[in-house]
């Protein structure tokens, strides 16, 4: 799904932290060009970039399990499908 929507997708590891024992937290930045359907949205040909975080468990030097979160709202904002309202402190 991701590669079909963003064929030039590129993921950069921005930070990697050892949490506890065999657990690692990885902060990422993913970027690419919206050239395919994403979440039902037609290609916009716009460049996009969004943050993510992954939580991994390592056993014997290999990833044994993990899960992650990606900021899909940031993607939608980049392809102009929605806008986050500005909050005023006034």
């Amino acid at each position: 799904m991701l590669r079909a929507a963003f064929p030039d997708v590129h993921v950069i590891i921005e930070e990697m932290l050892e949490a506890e024992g065999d657990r690692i937290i990885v902060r990422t930045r993913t970027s690419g060009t919206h050239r395919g359907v994403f979440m039902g949205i037609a290609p916009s040909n716009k460049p996009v970039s969004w943050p993510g975080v992954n939580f991994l468990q390592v056993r014997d030097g290999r990833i044994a399990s993990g899960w992650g979160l990606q900021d899909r709202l940031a993607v939608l904002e980049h392809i102009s499908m929605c806008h986050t309202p500005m909050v005023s402190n006034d």
Side-chain angles (χ1 to χ4, degrees), residues 16-71:
M16 191 178 312
L17 303 167
E18 184 177 338
E20 255 184 54
D22 62 351
R23 305 209 185 262
I24 297 173
I25 300 169
V26 181
R27 190 170 55 86
T28 61
R29 169 128 330 249
T30 304
S31 60
T33 308
H34 182 217
R35 293 198 173 117
V37 175
F38 179 72
M39 296 176 61
I41 301 165
S44 66
N45 291 313
K46 292 183 178 182
V48 297
S49 175
W50 65 91
V53 63
N54 296 281
F55 302 88
L56 308 172
Q57 183 177 24
V58 178
R59 276 194 214 115
D60 300 321
R62 301 178 76 111
I63 297 172
S65 65
W67 62 276
L69 301 169
Q70 301 295 312
D71 187 352

Side-chain angles (χ1 to χ4, degrees), residues 85-90:
M86 298 299 289
V87 177
S88 175
N89 291 330
D90 295 338

Side-chain angles (χ1 to χ4, degrees), residues 34 38 40-42 44 46 75-83:
H34 182 217
F38 179 72
I41 301 165
S44 66
K46 292 183 178 182
V75 177
L76 296 175
E77 288 174 334
H78 278 283
I79 58 178
S80 300
M81 292 308 297
C82 69
H83 300 283

